[in-house]
Amino acid sequence: MEPIEYTRVKNGVRYWEPSKKLRALGFKAKHWPESAEGREKARQETAKAKKAVETREAPPTYVAGSLAHFWHHFRARLWERVEHGEIKPRTAMEYDTAWLRIEPRFGDTTITDIGPDDVTDFKRELDRDFSPSTRRRAIAKLREILQDAVRRKVIPVDPTSHIRNTAPKGRKAFFSPDEIAAQVESAKLLGMDGMALCIRLMYETARSPVDARLLNSAALRMSPDGPYIDRSREKTGVDGFQAISQSLYDDILAYIDGLGVSLHPDAPIFRRHASKNARRRKAEPWKSPTDFSTDFAEVRKHALGPEDTRKAMDIRRTANLEAALGGASPEDRAALLANSLDRNQTLDAIYTPPTLEAARRANRARATGRSLIASSLSRNAVV
């Protein structure tokens, strides 16, 4: 058979393993049973990868001296940093997402002609047409691009310096323990066993949705004190150690055994099992945050009703609230959440890596906080 680039076959499984360059472009390791269908999926993935490389390396089309001209070189430097492991692919892709809003307004504009009034008008347009988070990201990335232009002496001053790029109001939603349990049961009833385990994992570990859905078997560990997760966060790359219950650990291993395939250590464990009423039946990992959010919304609607609008990320906030109410220190909660909550409320600063024991202390405090939340909700229901 004709060889398929980036693949190897072992024990009846075809592994698709992207190069460093492809990983920098966001491609992940995958695998399929060694069959005609598996080989075709591998060929498709290889074709998609090669197209991505060609697109990235294609000759640029821009007006000389324009912001798009500078952006092309700025982006190339950005992805070089990804390839050298200095930043995560996700960080570089945030610039690509912001550029979708920046390019229509400034792409063909000569970079030296962009003034403060132009930026003010752009911000007003974003506030009018898009969400606060979209506006904040677009202005923030435009500012970084233009500040880089100042450093390189392409322009004399940054025309965004007068803009106050305020953060969107933070979400405050959280779930009660009973609501978490109800969603786990609904996921099982809908045939979404992977989602049921993800909800349990997010609740026990305070992991974000992306960290839960991309969990791999290499991150499952066992210590004398019990099982835990050892995996850096997808968003920030900060090390994360979170304890999990023995029952969740056992259920995840049973789930892996039930998949009927040999998982690559770096491959996501959880599959996007279709709900019982859906046409889609193949059990594959979620391909995007949107797919995961769509399935979570279906589970939430089944468990809590059509009017509820809370998100999977609110489970992470719930865990932090329980720990805070239970008296966990900011340092221990930072260890649980794998962020810099203890020293920087924006969660952007680098901080001392968390320890497993600190995360365990935070989880012990959550038991007290969980009781306080349940008690408060009960009193409100009576009133």
Side-chain angles (χ1 to χ4, degrees), residues 177 203 319 322-323 325-327 360-374:
Y203 186 52
E322 289 179 355
L325 292 174
R360 290 190 191 280
R361 287 198 302 268
N363 270 336
R364 288 194 290 270
R366 285 179 58 191
T368 301
R370 192 175 302 125
S371 298
L372 290 173
I373 291 175

Side-chain angles (χ1 to χ4, degrees), residues 292-321:
F292 188 88
S293 297
T294 297
D295 286 354
F296 180 81
E298 183 177 352
V299 170
R300 183 200 62 225
K301 179 179 178 181
H302 184 274
L304 308 177
E307 302 302 320
D308 198 296
T309 60
R310 285 170 288 183
K311 302 180 183 296
M313 180 58 77
D314 295 328
I315 298 177
R316 178 170 163 83
R317 183 178 300 101
T318 299
N320 177 60
L321 178 61

Side-chain angles (χ1 to χ4, degrees), residues 68-189:
H69 182 181
F70 185 81
W71 158 252
H72 170 72
H73 297 287
F74 178 91
R75 186 176 184 273
R77 292 191 295 270
L78 203 64
W79 283 100
E80 282 180 9
R81 295 179 64 195
V82 172
E83 292 175 1
H84 286 87
E86 297 170 359
I87 61 174
K88 292 282 187 179
R90 181 188 179 101
T91 301
M93 286 187 282
E94 286 180 359
Y95 284 87
D96 288 348
T97 301
W99 183 248
L100 295 175
R101 306 301 173 209
I102 298 169
E103 182 182 27
R105 182 66 173 79
F106 293 120
D108 291 335
T109 304
T110 301
I111 191 170
T112 54
D113 289 343
I114 300 174
D117 290 343
D118 300 312
V119 178
T120 298
D121 291 341
F122 179 50
K123 179 178 180 295
R124 289 170 179 165
E125 292 167 7
L126 292 169
D127 281 329
R128 182 189 67 220
D129 299 332
F130 299 98
S131 68
S133 59
T134 297
R135 180 264 304 158
R136 179 174 170 79
R137 178 173 54 216
I139 294 295
K141 300 311 180 189
L142 174 62
R143 174 170 289 159
E144 292 185 36
I145 294 168
L146 293 174
Q147 286 177 345
D148 187 62
V150 172
R151 286 191 294 271
R152 296 175 186 279
K153 303 186 184 306
V154 176
I155 56 177
V157 294
D158 169 20
T160 72
S161 58
H162 68 293
I163 291 290
R164 289 187 67 246
N165 193 24
T166 55
K169 292 183 178 180
R171 291 178 59 82
K172 298 181 179 179
F174 63 91
F175 294 99
S176 71
D178 288 343
E179 288 172 330
I180 295 291
Q183 290 175 96
V184 171
E185 290 305 311
S186 287
K188 292 178 181 177
L189 289 172

Side-chain angles (χ1 to χ4, degrees), residues 201-310:
L201 183 69
M202 287 187 287
Y203 186 52
E204 287 197 13
T205 67
R207 285 263 166 176
S208 65
V210 65
D211 292 316
R213 69 180 175 85
L214 295 181
L215 182 74
N216 55 38
S217 58
L220 291 173
R221 303 293 181 86
M222 179 64 73
S223 75
D225 293 323
Y228 66 99
I229 302 296
D230 177 3
R231 182 175 169 83
S232 60
R233 290 198 60 210
E234 291 291 330
K235 181 178 180 180
T236 63
V238 174
D239 290 344
F241 302 88
Q242 286 86 25
I244 60 174
S245 64
Q246 186 66 50
S247 62
L248 177 56
Y249 179 80
D250 292 340
D251 289 346
I252 292 176
L253 292 184
Y255 178 86
I256 293 173
D257 289 341
L259 291 175
V261 297
S262 177
L263 280 181
H264 188 282
D266 292 333
I269 293 172
F270 302 117
R271 313 280 117 168
R272 190 188 183 190
H273 290 80
S275 64
K276 293 183 177 179
N277 296 325
R279 294 180 180 179
R280 175 177 48 81
R281 284 295 172 191
K282 292 181 180 178
E284 299 175 340
W286 288 277
K287 295 181 179 178
S288 70
T290 300
D291 289 342
F292 188 88
S293 297
T294 297
D295 286 354
F296 180 81
E298 183 177 352
V299 170
R300 183 200 62 225
K301 179 179 178 181
H302 184 274
L304 308 177
E307 302 302 320
D308 198 296
T309 60
R310 285 170 288 183

